[in-house]
Amino acid sequence: MQSITIKGSQRESVGKVATKALRNAGKVPCVLYGGDKPLHFSADEVSFKPLVYTANVYTATIELEGKTYNAILQDIQFHPVSDKILHVDFYQLFDDKLVTMSIPVKLVGTSPGVLNGGSLRFAMRKLSVRALPADLPDFINADISKLRIGHKLYVTALKNEKFSILHPDNTVVVQVRTSRNVSAEEEGEEEEGEEEATETAAE
């Protein structure tokens, strides 16, 4: 998984006055959890843009007082009016410890059902995954090239030996529904095509 570097400065004081002063200076108060003790630090607000304002998922390499920590974004607080970042929590990663993270799903291929006028419903754009840090994927491929009208792609089709997907097996990731614009005749033709393909395979 790709990583973004954030250069921080350790916080001497964590009181309200010090925190307000940091924000006024364009910095964001942060806490790194997961180690022996929480580490309080601050970093420039602009450093978080590649990490926060994107659909992609990254780990963070935090450079703090000459030391480097690998982490993931655990929680982020925004101002309710200005949307400025108020506070960020990170969780430290260790090579030998499993971690849970939400990974985006990427659709691959073209659905025959959609080509025939069906409506694609992308229900799960992210999936909770548990893995060692080195095995965390940037995204999970979901092949929709065999999805016809009425078909569903379940989370079981996306299983991988390197990570565990933390959703029930009957979770629908994507499906093709009948569109109002699709006539019964068109839908029937598609179903007939499926039956012919099944008969051919049986022979």
Side-chain angles (χ1 to χ4, degrees):
M1 177 173 286
Q2 299 181 62
S3 180
I4 290 176
T5 300
I6 294 177
K7 296 181 179 180
S9 301
Q10 196 158 345
R11 296 167 60 191
E12 297 297 334
S13 176
V14 294
K16 291 184 178 180
V17 175
T19 298
K20 185 176 180 180
L22 284 173
R23 291 174 180 147
N24 289 339
K27 296 184 179 295
V28 177
C30 308
V31 182
L32 175 63
Y33 296 99
D36 295 333
K37 61 180 181 179
L39 294 177
H40 298 265
F41 68 98
S42 64
D44 291 334
E45 185 176 3
V46 294
S47 303
F48 297 94
K49 288 186 177 180
L51 186 65
V52 177
Y53 304 107
T54 177
N56 299 326
V57 178
Y58 302 96
T59 57
T61 300
I62 300 172
E63 296 181 356
L64 184 62
E65 306 297 329
K67 295 183 179 180
T68 301
Y69 304 89
N70 293 322
I72 57 172
L73 182 66
Q74 188 174 46
D75 187 41
I76 185 166
Q77 297 175 17
F78 294 94
H79 190 281
V81 177
S82 66
D83 275 342
K84 288 189 64 175
I85 300 174
L86 297 179
H87 190 274
V88 178
D89 288 341
F90 289 95
Y91 186 81
Q92 188 173 352
L93 298 177
F94 297 92
D95 293 340
D96 59 346
K97 290 186 179 181
L98 294 170
V99 63
T100 300
M101 196 168 184
S102 292
I103 304 297
V105 177
K106 181 180 179 181
L107 300 184
V108 178
T110 302
S111 163
V114 173
L115 291 178
N116 285 333
S119 175
L120 187 73
R121 181 173 181 268
F122 195 0
M124 301 293 291
R125 295 178 181 272
K126 284 189 176 183
L127 294 173
S128 293
V129 166
R130 188 167 179 80
L132 293 173
D135 293 332
L136 286 170
D138 291 314
F139 50 81
I140 299 173
N141 285 327
D143 186 0
I144 61 172
S145 60
K146 296 181 180 179
L147 288 186
R148 298 185 179 278
I149 293 176
H151 285 193
K152 300 176 181 179
L153 185 70
Y154 294 94
V155 72
T156 49
L158 309 181
K159 286 187 175 181
N160 190 291
E161 294 181 356
K162 291 186 176 181
F163 55 80
S164 300
I165 299 178
L166 306 180
H167 295 271
D169 288 348
N170 62 351
T171 300
V172 177
V173 178
V174 60
Q175 63 179 303
V176 180
R177 291 179 168 180
T178 303
S179 173
R180 292 179 180 178
N181 297 326
V182 179
S183 66
E185 182 180 349
E186 289 174 327
E187 189 173 349
E189 288 176 356
E190 182 170 280
E191 290 176 352
E192 183 179 338
E194 288 184 40
E195 291 175 0
E196 291 178 356
T198 302
E199 292 173 1
T200 303
E203 293 175 359

